[in-house]
Amino acid sequence: MSQENSFTALDVSRDVLKALERMGISEPTQIQQETIPPMMAGRDIIGIAPTGTGKTIAFGIPMLEYISLSETRIQELVLAPTRELAMQIVAELTELARFIPQIRIAALYGGQPMSRQITQLKRKPQIIVATPGRLLDMQNRGHVRLDQVHTMVIDEADEMLKMGFVKDVTRIIESVPPARQLVMFSATTNRDVMTISWKFQHTPIEITVEATAENRPQIKQYTMVVPRENKMGALQYLLDSDEYDRVMIFVNTKFMTQRVCDRLRKQGYKAEALHGDIRQSQRTRIMNDFKSGRFPILVATDVAARGIDVDDVEAVINYDLPNENEYYLHRIGRTGRARKHGVAFTMMTFQESVRMDEIQRYMESQPTPLKFDETRILRRENGDAFFEHV
Ligand code: ADP
Ligand code: MG
């Protein structure tokens, strides 16, 4: 490891270095290299980087380095759009803070009784990770005071603002001291993200990590031209081509998640469907079971899978071509995380291949075409797929 690209060179303290080592993390990613120094220096930041590039640690480290351990007020606040994300951020911060036992983190999100969260607040946490709705609720009831917050992070800002949280986020920003540090992270920019930045950030530093295939050379991409009526057969063929412990299949509608999932189950596969209409508690259970390896195949829509961090997804299969170019990037970004090899297969009809060309121009990548041919067997080795004659 070169001295230039190490967490030590970024002035990270010994306790956090120890935690990183324990997490198996040795080299900072680009967004971490570029975010940690200015954020530790107290600057406002707007960071745009694709999913899976390590944004949590990018803001998590400066947050931990910047806490006054003796202070019992809430000093730092992270806003996340969903309960799942809030839980993931808490988990990652807790890991990072493993060797700083004085740090207390409270999580505030809907779908859990307030009483339990109020108990957490009574322990005087320095850090709060929250979804906007529950935080405002807690503030209104007088359980949370944010007048000592010096660092506020908005994670997945694009997603949060798309979900209609503009007013809530604005109210929360206005309730922390105006001199606070405001850091925003997002996979993409949009008008609302820029508006919040322009209104509330003080001479922010803009950090952009380009959404190109170069961020993630560990993902091998393959395309298959398959007539619509053969997609199910091709899907089974792909699933049978290897012993996958974790595969994500993406479709475009809630209806299709259920349909593909049901058909797979009929064929004896262990699969679950994840979409926006499933109850929150059920979604959490499905995600946890998928993470812990209780079932190998998750069929999901883009919305349901957004921001979900599951390591060790070995393959992503696009059963439908995504409707938006950036969705393709988010989808394949589910695999190849944490510097592991991943493979992504995209099934498309002949007509759809034009759309796929457009996606690839956006991605600046070149997938390998695979021919669906039942007389040959697909094999994978070290992330490469190739055909072998039967
Ligand atoms: P993002 O928020 O950009 O989508 P996450 O912060 O969720 O990405 O990180 C994705 C995964 O990569 C997590 O499992 C995280 O532990 C891991 N990770 C983060 N930083 C590094 C690093 N420097 N080296 C290896 N793995 C990392
Ligand atoms: Mg993230």
Side-chain angles (χ1 to χ4, degrees), residues 229-244:
E229 63 274 18
N230 292 354
K231 275 193 176 178
M232 202 60 209
L235 175 61
Q236 288 187 39
Y237 178 78
L238 287 175
L239 291 173
D240 293 343
S241 68
D242 207 332
E243 303 239 322
Y244 292 115

Side-chain angles (χ1 to χ4, degrees), residues 223-226 237 368-374 376 378 387:
T223 53
M224 293 169 91
V225 174
V226 185
Y237 178 78
T368 309
L370 288 178
K371 248 202 165 139
F372 176 45
D373 176 351
E374 291 187 69
R376 297 192 294 171
L378 181 67
F387 282 102

